[in-house]
Amino acid sequence: MYKNMSTLTGTGISTKLDSFAAGKEAALNAYYQIEKNYPNILIIFISAIYNQHETIKGVRSIIRDTPIIGCSSVGSISNYGFHQNSVAVSIISSDSINFFCGIGDKISANSRLAGSKAAIKAFGSIKKHNPKQAYMMFSDSISGNSADILRGAQEILGTCFPIIGGGACNKSRSSQTYQYADNEILTDSVVGVIISGTMVLGIGQSSSWQPIGKPHKITKAKFNIIKEIDRKPAVKIYEEYFEKSFEEIKNDGIFKLGINYPLGLRQTDKNKEYITRVPLMLENNGSFVLNADIREGENISLMISDKELIVESAKKAAEKALSYIKNTKIKFAIMFSDISRFLLLKNDAYKEIDMVKKIIGMEIPILGCYTLGEYGLLNAAESAGQYCFNNHSVSITLFSE
Amino acid sequence: MNISYIIVFALVSCVLFMLYHIEITKRIKSEKSNKKLQDIVDQLDNQAKIIIKTDLALNKVQEDLDRKITGLCTLHEISRKLSSTFNIDNIFGMINQPFVLKLGFSKLLITLKENPSGLMAIKSSAGYSDAEIKIIETEFNKINFASFLFKKEKPMLVNRLMESIDRRWNLLDLLKVESFLTAPIIVREESIGFIIAGNTSMYGKIGENDTELMSILTGLVETAIESAKLYTELFGSHRELERRVADRTKELEKLNEELKNLNKMKSDFISSVSHELRTPLTSIKGYASILMTGKLGNVLPAQKERLEKIDKHSNSLVHLVNNLLDIARIESGKTQMTMQNISVKEMLDSIVDIITPQIKEKNISLKINSKTKFDTIKADHSQIERIFLNLLSNAVKFTPEKGTVSVDVEEKDDVIQFSIEDTGIGIPPQDISKVFQEFFRADNALDQKIKGSGLGLSLVKKIVEAHKGKIWFNSELGKGSRFTFTLPKY
């Protein structure tokens, strides 16, 4: 149990086999931790192996009317470490924070519209006198364009309004992902929640992937599809670097290769942080479909990372977040780490969480999950405080009073 | 003027030419350095390619190693769990979703052939809903997948690249996986089912490396099923045996009860008959004694001789009746042993006194060897005397003249052991088992000459057992016998 003057958080994790029982157990554990106080919101992350409806029913058997937000994930992140194939329920009970949810559907048809729809609904519910602090959203990562979803939300909230969250994920690129808002279990959607109140936020994001090899120019691209790189079919870059044929890449799945070796865009010459894009699908003409858009004429590099760099970047993100909240007391932290980091760290995934705990304080409650792409602020100075969609990063948001 | 123009022109041309030359040289130099730079970049890029390939290979090795270690640990865990049950249904319940996920698969099915229909039934599943299981089960039986698989000896790998099997039945779509491994379950050289383990993820596509894990898993399931079957059979036989033993015990208990009743009836009968006999015997003996005194008239010598015989035989009959009565009483528990501390030495001395005339008569040597410091036992004095008198008089009776009779007393744990040994005629082997039976007399010439009721040893056994002791003997025909009995020290 993590108890503060006005804010209580509790996180329950269950790995029970039965979906209903797992939901119930996780909710009950979290509820006990907030000492059965009034919960403001439930943030839920459920592995795709569970029957999603039954799990939510299990959660609802303990806590009935509180708003729910969350998504499916390969694993949850909490003070207890990482848990694969689990149900994680986090409850926030606070008299200084309020939450207002919104839903945007059919992102595959119009990601931008869906993004703005969710933000409008969430924003519309908020009382005017409440200071808006941040917007947390979870989107379907295997359909639509995540950067467009963000743009849609930014049309309503502004480009410098703190937006955190990420793409719901499953271990497989082709498996369905789910987004939760209240009692609805959605897919091909985006769910968002406006966080309002008097809290001070500190957001830090960092990616550990580094370029390798010479830069290449995107010579033909449209939205989130790269058609040509260096005037050759886009797939050639992977064919050349990995010495694999088109058929081999197609059969193995471009996502499998791209999740570990994505394409990186350098933001400015000064900054060493790269925005990365993951090829989700390989088309027969050798084009890639990415999970966010990319511009023609941009220089890209193949990216690589290792375990040490990942842990180091978690430290960097935590330090960055901490630097914004001087002279206040941290109440809790929300952490989203990209699935690629989890796949590379494997059993060492706890090291990333431990590093964050070490920086922000061992007793600070952490809640979060692994995502496919993260919304956040990668380079505050270089991007003029504009929030963006990135992959392979870890995003840490500290809530303090 | 013209000359000066020409000179100026020549100078300008010269300067221009020099500038051009410098520019060309610069350009050539720049191109050269650009080319050099490009070469370096290309070289670095080639090195990057090597690094990437190495990284990819290392990642793959690491991934395979991780998967193998996790898989083997999981198999070890499954094996431990499986060995704790002999119930086939429990076996399938144990291979549940967490284990399947730890093995690196996302879906699993275990099917078994149903008897007598021969149809395949899914006994265990992970990652499938009940509705999906029904569809898969029906489809498997429709395409008779089992008969195709049962021809295979090793696990079979199926993925999108393999044309034949999947194209034929669309198994990947049916099972909703990207790749799967399947292997038959063979128990006692008969294929009884199969396991299918698949992965929905492109990231964790099943490869040839997983066949080893699959073989081990199948082996574990096969062993567990075989053990469960053996256990069931063994348990069945055991139950049957137990049932038979219970029935037989019941029968024996009933028979034992009947025997007890019969024995009681016998004892009661002997007891009442003996009582009935004793009264007339007392009269016969009394009248014979009166007649012998001559008070009722002169008794001729021949008459006296007959009367003496009547008296002697009456005495024998009284002795016999008394013995019978004692046996019946001890058996029925009517005789209470009056337990008291008895000095072994004193008791033996008094018995030797009684028996001495007979010993002397036959010139038999009597030895008493006592190796015990423990002198007192708790027993019924008169009954213990009867034991010694019976055994010693038997020993004297059946030992030829100048023979030896010895009494050994030993201390053994909680008992005192007494042995009476003689150098007599011994007991024929065929009679050994009957020695303690009532009215039994050994079938040899000497025995027939020596008179006795055949009740003595039976009575001795009853008395020893009434004292919670044991009695046994060793005998060799023509060489002698050794009767041993024990009495508790306390």
Side-chain angles (χ1 to χ4, degrees):
Chain A
M1 180 196 67
Y2 303 101
K3 189 176 178 182
N4 290 305
M5 285 299 283
S6 55
T7 305
L8 290 170
T9 65
T11 298
I13 313 267
S14 177
T15 51
K16 276 193 173 175
L17 285 180
D18 181 76
S19 301
F20 182 87
K24 189 176 173 180
E25 186 182 60
L28 197 64
N29 286 341
Y31 193 45
Y32 277 132
Q33 288 172 30
I34 61 159
E35 296 175 345
K36 298 182 183 175
N37 272 297
Y38 176 78
N40 292 65
I41 194 154
L42 302 181
I43 303 172
I44 297 176
F45 304 110
I46 306 170
S47 295
I49 60 159
Y50 287 98
N51 178 318
Q52 307 284 309
H53 287 274
E54 284 300 309
T55 313
I56 298 283
K57 265 191 208 170
V59 174
R60 281 299 190 208
S61 70
I62 301 297
I63 302 160
R64 288 181 194 285
D65 303 318
T66 309
I68 286 177
I69 189 112
C71 65
S72 62
S73 173
V74 285
S76 63
I77 294 170
S78 70
N79 275 62
Y80 313 114
F82 71 100
H83 287 88
Q84 242 186 309
N85 306 316
S86 64
V87 175
V89 176
S90 293
I91 305 178
I92 299 170
S93 170
S94 174
D95 50 21
S96 56
I97 324 173
N98 291 302
F99 302 88
F100 306 93
C101 297
I103 299 169
D105 56 359
K106 294 177 190 162
I107 59 170
S108 54
N110 193 334
S111 303
R112 196 165 182 142
L113 182 66
S116 67
K117 252 162 73 178
I120 288 168
K121 279 182 200 163
F123 192 65
S125 318
I126 197 166
K127 289 170 192 168
K128 277 185 182 168
H129 60 268
N130 262 331
K132 304 184 295 285
Q133 292 289 359
Y135 181 61
M136 180 164 69
M137 65 176 180
F138 302 107
S139 55
D140 191 335
S141 58
I142 59 163
S143 63
N145 179 335
S146 299
D148 253 0
I149 296 171
L150 178 72
R151 264 180 228 118
Q154 285 175 332
E155 278 171 8
I156 309 303
L157 303 164
T159 54
C160 294
F161 186 77
I163 296 179
I164 56 169
C169 68
N170 203 332
K171 201 172 175 184
S172 162
R173 190 208 66 78
S174 55
S175 304
Q176 213 165 32
T177 71
Y178 304 95
Q179 300 79 47
Y180 323 124
D182 288 336
N183 291 333
E184 287 193 70
I185 296 160
L186 307 148
T187 189
D188 192 27
S189 302
V190 54
V191 295
V193 61
I194 291 270
I195 303 165
S196 76
T198 53
M199 303 200 88
V200 178
L201 258 67
I203 300 176
Q205 192 178 21
S206 177
S207 164
S208 55
W209 263 252
Q210 297 297 317
I212 185 160
K214 64 182 181 188
H216 302 269
K217 196 167 204 154
I218 299 170
T219 44
K220 203 172 178 186
K222 196 178 178 186
F223 307 123
N224 58 336
I225 299 170
I226 306 181
K227 293 184 176 172
E228 284 180 12
I229 297 169
D230 294 338
R231 302 195 181 283
K232 287 184 273 186
V235 71
K236 283 279 172 202
I237 190 169
Y238 283 97
E239 284 180 25
E240 282 170 13
Y241 277 97
F242 294 96
E243 284 185 357
K244 284 183 177 222
S245 67
F246 177 82
E247 281 71 30
E248 277 179 292
I249 296 172
K250 181 105 180 156
N251 289 329
D252 283 351
I254 187 75
F255 178 73
K256 191 178 172 184
L257 215 53
I259 195 80
N260 283 338
Y261 307 96
L263 301 171
L265 300 140
R266 193 165 191 166
Q267 282 190 301
T268 63
D269 286 342
K270 286 181 198 167
N271 203 300
K272 286 177 185 171
E273 293 268 21
Y274 279 67
I275 281 187
T276 55
R277 293 287 181 255
V278 184
L280 296 179
M281 218 159 62
L282 177 60
E283 295 189 337
N284 286 335
N285 60 4
S287 304
F288 298 143
V289 179
L290 307 174
N291 63 339
D293 55 8
I294 202 155
R295 278 195 297 272
E296 205 171 283
E298 276 185 309
N299 282 326
I300 53 155
S301 295
L302 204 65
M303 309 291 283
I304 193 167
S305 189
D306 68 13
K307 291 183 180 183
E308 281 73 30
L309 284 171
I310 289 175
V311 176
E312 193 53 36
S313 75
K315 183 185 175 195
K316 209 166 141 186
E319 283 171 346
K320 215 184 284 180
L322 201 60
S323 68
Y324 292 107
I325 50 155
K326 282 166 191 160
N327 306 322
T328 52
K329 197 176 174 194
I330 305 168
K331 297 290 175 182
F332 64 94
I334 294 182
M335 174 174 169
F336 298 111
S337 181
D338 195 84
I339 183 175
S340 54
R341 304 167 73 88
F342 174 70
L343 293 174
L344 200 63
L345 285 171
K346 291 195 180 81
N347 292 335
D348 289 332
Y350 72 92
K351 287 184 180 170
E352 186 183 35
I353 303 165
D354 281 358
M355 178 54 83
V356 174
K357 279 161 76 176
K358 204 172 146 188
I359 302 298
I360 65 170
M362 299 303 276
E363 295 306 313
I364 306 298
I366 298 174
L367 50 109
C369 71
Y370 291 99
T371 50
L372 179 50
E374 302 73 42
Y375 301 105
L377 187 64
L378 192 58
N379 304 298
E382 303 303 325
S383 61
Q386 292 191 358
Y387 283 75
C388 63
F389 176 76
N390 195 19
N391 286 288
H392 298 85
S393 68
V394 57
S395 127
I396 294 152
T397 310
L398 303 176
F399 291 77
S400 68
E401 281 177 335
Chain B
M1 189 71 178
N2 277 342
I3 290 166
S4 55
Y5 272 125
I6 288 165
I7 290 166
V8 169
F9 180 75
L11 275 170
V12 168
S13 299
C14 204
V15 168
L16 281 174
F17 179 76
M18 277 173 72
L19 283 172
Y20 174 75
H21 182 75
I22 290 165
E23 187 57 35
I24 288 294
T25 316
K26 253 188 186 172
R27 198 173 285 177
I28 289 166
K29 262 187 184 169
S30 165
E31 269 173 14
K32 266 185 186 170
S33 102
N34 273 350
K35 200 174 176 310
K36 225 175 187 178
L37 206 67
Q38 188 59 45
D39 284 347
I40 292 168
V41 169
D42 286 344
Q43 223 169 23
L44 285 172
D45 203 43
N46 284 335
Q47 283 170 5
K49 283 174 187 168
I50 294 168
I51 293 169
I52 286 175
K53 269 192 289 176
T54 313
D55 189 64
L56 190 69
L58 279 174
N59 275 347
K60 180 144 182 22
V61 168
Q62 182 71 47
E63 199 180 304
D64 288 347
L65 206 66
D66 283 351
R67 201 161 165 177
K68 232 168 213 179
I69 291 169
T70 315
L72 287 174
C73 289
T74 310
L75 285 172
H76 175 68
E77 218 175 315
I78 293 175
S79 154
R80 238 183 33 207
K81 282 211 155 192
L82 289 181
S83 62
S84 68
T85 185
F86 292 112
N87 181 319
I88 289 188
D89 291 332
N90 285 353
I91 292 169
F92 299 127
M94 281 171 179
I95 305 169
N96 53 25
Q97 196 154 21
F99 278 128
V100 174
L101 292 169
K102 276 194 214 170
L103 284 172
F105 305 120
S106 44
K107 288 174 187 277
L108 179 126
L109 290 171
I110 301 180
T111 64
L112 278 194
K113 207 192 285 175
E114 291 272 87
N115 283 329
S117 66
L119 291 173
M120 302 309 292
I122 294 173
K123 296 285 178 187
S124 176
S125 72
Y128 291 103
S129 68
D130 291 345
E132 285 172 330
I133 288 169
K134 234 175 188 175
I135 294 167
I136 294 168
E137 201 175 74
T138 313
E139 198 59 27
F140 274 163
N141 285 315
K142 206 169 110 189
I143 62 176
N144 204 1
F145 179 64
S147 63
F148 165 79
L149 184 68
F150 288 168
K151 289 173 196 156
K152 309 269 173 191
E153 285 175 356
K154 286 178 183 173
M156 186 173 68
L157 175 67
V158 180
N159 59 38
R160 298 268 175 218
L161 291 174
M162 305 175 100
E163 306 233 329
S164 56
I165 176 171
D166 187 50
R167 288 277 164 86
R168 202 159 130 201
W169 291 318
N170 280 332
L171 286 175
L172 291 170
D173 293 336
L174 175 69
L175 297 167
K176 293 185 177 167
V177 290
E178 286 297 314
S179 52
F180 70 85
L181 265 171
T182 180
I185 300 169
I186 303 166
V187 174
R188 294 175 194 172
E189 295 179 356
E190 189 199 346
S191 298
I192 59 157
F194 56 87
I195 301 180
I196 287 183
N199 230 331
T200 51
S201 163
M202 286 296 290
Y203 193 85
K205 202 154 80 175
I206 296 167
E208 290 292 343
N209 288 342
D210 296 301
T211 53
E212 223 171 284
L213 283 185
M214 187 63 164
S215 295
I216 301 172
L217 177 67
T218 315
L220 288 176
V221 172
E222 284 167 357
T223 312
I225 292 175
E226 193 163 358
S227 303
K229 278 190 170 175
L230 275 173
Y231 178 78
T232 312
E233 284 166 13
L234 206 69
F235 188 66
S237 315
H238 184 69
R239 286 277 294 272
E240 177 59 23
L241 204 68
E242 266 184 353
R243 193 189 57 76
R244 282 190 194 171
V245 169
D247 288 352
R248 194 86 191 109
T249 310
K250 244 183 196 171
E251 275 173 31
L252 285 171
E253 274 171 0
K254 206 174 157 189
L255 283 172
N256 198 29
E257 203 55 41
E258 278 172 20
L259 273 173
K260 271 184 186 169
N261 286 339
L262 283 172
N263 205 30
K264 191 174 177 297
M265 278 169 70
K266 183 198 81 178
S267 299
D268 289 349
F269 173 74
I270 290 171
S271 182
S272 61
V273 166
S274 303
H275 273 295
E276 292 303 318
L277 279 172
R278 226 158 46 164
T279 319
L281 264 174
T282 314
S283 300
I284 291 167
K285 209 172 132 53
Y287 287 129
S289 299
I290 294 168
L291 284 172
M292 273 200 292
T293 55
K295 284 178 186 170
L296 297 174
N298 285 337
V299 181
L300 295 172
Q303 286 173 327
K304 197 179 178 184
E305 191 190 330
R306 302 305 188 272
L307 283 169
E308 276 169 359
K309 276 190 179 173
I310 288 171
D311 186 53
K312 190 183 166 191
H313 287 296
S314 297
N315 279 339
S316 299
L317 215 52
V318 168
H319 184 68
L320 177 77
V321 167
N322 282 343
N323 275 352
L324 272 174
L325 266 174
D326 284 339
I327 290 171
R329 276 187 196 136
I330 293 170
E331 270 183 353
S332 64
K334 281 177 189 165
T335 301
Q336 288 291 318
M337 297 291 152
T338 317
M339 307 301 263
Q340 52 187 304
N341 287 326
I342 303 166
S343 160
V344 175
K345 192 178 174 304
E346 282 174 19
M347 180 188 65
L348 284 173
D349 287 346
S350 85
I351 288 160
V352 168
D353 284 348
I354 299 168
I355 209 84
T356 301
Q358 292 175 49
I359 289 169
K360 279 188 177 166
E361 197 183 318
K362 290 181 86 174
N363 201 12
I364 285 169
S365 114
L366 177 69
K367 293 175 187 168
I368 294 179
N369 310 309
S370 179
K371 296 169 191 168
T372 172
K373 289 174 187 170
F374 197 89
D375 191 46
T376 344
I377 53 165
K378 203 156 199 176
D380 186 312
H381 191 272
S382 62
Q383 300 293 357
I384 292 299
E385 257 188 11
R386 286 179 86 171
I387 296 172
F388 277 103
L389 277 174
N390 262 298
L391 292 175
L392 275 169
S393 60
N394 273 353
V396 173
K397 263 196 265 179
F398 294 107
T399 301
E401 284 188 3
K402 295 180 183 172
T404 309
V405 171
S406 58
V407 178
D408 294 319
V409 187
E410 279 178 88
E411 205 177 323
K412 293 225 165 143
D413 300 327
D414 295 337
V415 296
I416 302 283
Q417 184 173 297
F418 301 92
S419 302
I420 291 98
E421 192 172 2
D422 62 52
T423 53
I425 55 169
I427 300 162
Q430 70 270 19
D431 293 336
I432 282 175
S433 61
K434 302 169 197 162
V435 162
F436 291 113
Q437 283 178 12
E438 288 151 30
F439 300 110
F440 173 75
R441 290 179 56 87
D443 190 16
N444 65 42
L446 185 60
D447 202 7
Q448 295 306 317
K449 281 182 203 161
I450 296 165
K451 288 179 182 170
S453 60
L455 286 174
L457 284 175
S458 173
L459 184 64
V460 163
K461 188 169 187 286
K462 298 269 186 286
I463 297 170
V464 169
E465 284 168 358
H467 277 86
K468 291 176 183 164
K470 282 178 189 168
I471 184 162
W472 67 93
F473 70 95
N474 308 99
S475 181
E476 206 176 327
L477 196 61
K479 288 195 172 174
S481 305
R482 182 183 174 89
F483 279 80
T484 307
F485 69 96
T486 61
L487 291 173
K489 280 180 185 172
Y490 308 105

